[in-house]
Amino acid sequence: MRLLAPDVERELIDRIRRGDDSAMRSLYERLSPWLGGICARYLSGDESVRDVLQEVFVKIFTRFDRFTYRGAGSLQAWAGRIAVNESLMFLKERHREKTVSLDLDLGGAEEDEGPEVEDIPEDVVLEMVRQLPDRYRTVFNLYVFEDLSHKEIASLLHIKEDTSASDLHRARKLLCRMIDRYRTIGPM
Amino acid sequence: MEEKWKQHFKDKLSGYRLEEVPLSWDDVGTAVAQTSRRKRVVAGLWSVAGIAAAVAAALWYVGSLRPSPAPAEPSLAVREETVPDAVPVVPLEVCPVPSERVPGAVHLKADPVPLLTDSVREGPSLLEDPVADADFPAAGKPTLADPGSAVPSDEDGRELFPVLQEAPAIRKPRLALLAYGSVPGSASSTQSAAGPVLSAASIYGDGGRMKRSGMLRMDENGRVETEEHHQQPVRFGLLFRYALTDRIGVGTGLTYSVCRSTFSSTYGTFRSETQQTLHFVGMPLRVDCRLLGTGPFRLYASAGGLAEKMVKGTVSMKPLQFSVNGAVGLDYALSRPVHLFFEPGCSYYFDNGSSVQTLHTQRPLSFQLDVGLRFQL
């Protein structure tokens, strides 16, 4: 989804490089809801989302000299990359889980099934993702939205490739369970 | 088939936008300005630390270049004793100390007194008792004079032996090396907190920051309980101290410290525990002043600052960690060059803006006991 028209994007880039505050504000107003959505996918707490989103914009505006225009949409892609990296760094700084999960009974959906979310509102889907344990959620986001392989995820998070695959499997199982409950019980 | 669910999720959430952004433009502007200012302050502090370290190193280098005054050559009395003509001049060959061995020596005119020639010919140390009492004639038993006191002479008032005119200057060591460690106490910080997994329970939006159209919880409770346990950091250091005066000294060096923490969180049926270990290298700057001294004991006070950088850890902390400290110490001289010291004190750690939790973020003011050895160089 492109949030900046090509001509608007070029104009904003030129003005920000000249130190135009109004251009910075305009970029903030156009991208902050989408960047906030990215942070919300990675982070479970509202305060965490706010802190990371602030850090994302600080990085964007203090390191704008490092941005290189590579065509239409490159500014949005660059900002989105910063949001993902800052979210990952925040999670890494907060903790690295050593032991996880006392409840291992996640039976239910088959390996190739779902989770199917076509009929579920996007807000609900987002909340389900946010309820996943941090590492499952991180692996899920990197696999689904960043299109990383398990090998790449393992290298990024300093985990084993098998662990990445196992975490994704568990995340999918948990989401299936949540979706089943939602369809059965409805929103609480 | 597998990729279908993935594509559905991407279609749902890749373009998702928050209805209400939890951040205002004013917040962003303030944060950007603070970041720029913090970078300038850090650069300034590093410059000051670098200059102070360079000054301390230069002082140490200059101090090490200063030649230590050599022990004063025993200057013999260069005055010629006026003796009555009737007293024969002592020929050189019976002079107790050959003149060429002692610079500036002058032959003292004295009566020929039989001495222990063997030890004399070997060049006795003028600091030693040159002759035994028995070798002297009964009358006029000489003694080696203390500097500044009357020159020994025989019963006729004539000088018998050369005396030291000056005591050798004793060079007070100005440079010292301190090696110390902090005694890890049982003090630690534990903090518990409990909170909901999701912060509101409204179905159709809570009027808060994010709109929600439904919430599901993993269990009945949906609450997260967290606990943090921080151990007292363990620290070791090497400090070079330069004495500006007899009482006051300045010092700098290197420290190494380890901070360990444990974080536990329980949510529903899931429990996670994380061990956090952070390794810091730091540069201290300090001034100390001797307050009292009696015998081998010295009481002193010190104050200074410390800049630390995390060099290794299970998490990342990029900003430097700054602290100031003050202490009162007791120094005991085990021997002349080696002293043992105990230094209880307190430190205050400034917030460096990092989100990493340590004992210092929980309790900025902390107490420690440093124990170590001081080596006079």
Side-chain angles (χ1 to χ4, degrees), chain B residues 112-369:
Chain B
V113 176
L115 300 173
L116 287 175
T117 53
D118 287 342
S119 58
V120 164
R121 284 190 185 134
E122 288 170 2
S125 163
L126 294 176
L127 293 178
E128 299 173 39
D129 193 3
V131 295
D133 290 345
D135 296 316
F136 280 85
K141 188 184 290 188
T143 56
L144 194 64
D146 290 331
S149 62
V151 176
S153 58
D154 61 7
E155 62 275 19
D156 294 327
R158 290 170 293 191
E159 286 186 37
L160 289 178
F161 298 102
V163 296
L164 294 173
Q165 295 299 319
E166 294 177 9
I170 298 175
R171 174 169 171 261
K172 289 187 180 177
R174 284 190 169 266
L175 195 62
L177 173 67
L178 284 73
Y180 62 93
S182 286
V183 177
S186 59
S188 61
S189 174
T190 300
Q191 178 170 303
S192 298
V197 172
L198 298 171
S199 59
S202 170
I203 299 175
Y204 297 110
D206 54 5
R209 292 175 177 162
M210 294 175 62
K211 178 187 172 187
R212 301 189 187 90
S213 56
M215 281 185 4
L216 290 175
R217 292 176 177 151
M218 295 185 69
D219 61 3
E220 295 296 323
N221 241 338
R223 293 176 68 83
V224 175
E225 293 186 359
T226 61
E227 195 171 292
E228 302 177 7
H229 178 75
H230 304 283
Q231 297 178 17
Q232 182 83 0
V234 176
R235 189 173 67 223
F236 302 96
L238 281 177
L239 189 85
F240 281 97
R241 179 187 181 273
Y242 183 79
L244 295 174
T245 67
D246 283 345
R247 284 181 172 268
I248 299 175
V250 293
T252 187
L254 281 177
T255 63
Y256 165 76
S257 59
V258 181
C259 296
R260 290 195 172 88
S261 308
T262 303
F263 302 88
S264 306
S265 58
T266 305
Y267 39 94
T269 55
F270 293 88
R271 175 177 169 81
S272 69
E273 189 173 282
T274 304
Q275 306 292 330
Q276 175 182 285
T277 303
L278 308 177
H279 300 260
F280 291 88
V281 170
M283 178 183 288
L285 288 173
R286 80 177 222 169
V287 176
D288 59 72
C289 175
R290 180 165 58 88
L291 302 174
L292 296 170
T294 174
F297 292 97
R298 297 284 184 274
L299 184 69
Y300 63 92
S302 71
L306 176 64
E308 293 177 282
K309 170 76 178 161
M310 198 195 88
V311 294
K312 183 183 170 185
T314 51
V315 294
S316 170
M317 181 193 284
K318 289 184 179 175
L320 294 177
Q321 187 167 260
F322 292 97
S323 61
V324 291
N325 53 74
V328 174
L330 184 66
D331 182 291
Y332 174 74
L334 295 172
S335 64
R336 188 165 185 172
V338 182
H339 296 230
L340 176 68
F341 67 89
F342 299 87
E343 194 174 291
C346 59
S347 300
Y348 182 84
Y349 281 78
F350 298 101
D351 180 15
N352 63 355
S354 170
S355 60
V356 176
Q357 298 293 312
T358 65
L359 181 69
H360 303 313
T361 54
Q362 292 286 332
R363 294 189 310 172
L365 182 66
S366 60
F367 296 89
Q368 74 274 346
L369 172 63

Side-chain angles (χ1 to χ4, degrees), chain A residues 43-103:
Chain A
L43 307 168
S44 58
D46 290 352
E47 281 298 317
S48 306
V49 171
R50 184 192 182 281
D51 292 344
V52 172
L53 188 59
Q54 179 172 292
E55 194 57 36
V56 167
F57 278 102
V58 167
K59 285 268 168 69
I60 288 173
F61 293 128
T62 58
R63 298 184 183 183
F64 204 81
D65 55 329
R66 299 187 193 182
F67 167 71
T68 304
Y69 182 73
R70 298 180 197 275
S74 56
L75 177 60
Q76 181 177 338
W78 181 68
R81 178 66 48 214
I82 291 176
V84 172
N85 286 336
E86 287 301 313
S87 301
L88 292 175
M89 254 190 333
F90 182 87
L91 287 168
K92 187 181 173 187
E93 282 193 3
R94 281 289 292 273
H95 55 262
R96 180 178 299 170
E97 294 179 1
K98 291 282 185 177
T99 59
V100 177
S101 179
L102 297 176
D103 178 7

Side-chain angles (χ1 to χ4, degrees), chain B residues 41-117:
Chain B
V41 168
V42 168
L45 285 171
W46 266 118
S47 302
V48 168
I51 291 169
V55 167
L59 287 172
W60 171 73
Y61 180 69
V62 168
S64 67
L65 281 181
R66 244 183 359 169
S68 53
E73 293 289 349
S75 70
L76 304 179
V78 189
R79 53 182 179 276
E80 290 190 0
E81 188 70 25
T82 303
V83 296
D85 293 339
V87 177
V89 175
V90 177
L92 278 176
E93 52 272 22
V94 300
C95 178
V97 178
S99 61
E100 59 268 21
R101 288 199 183 204
V102 181
V106 172
H107 308 300
L108 297 181
K109 303 184 176 99
D111 289 335
V113 176
L115 300 173
L116 287 175
T117 53

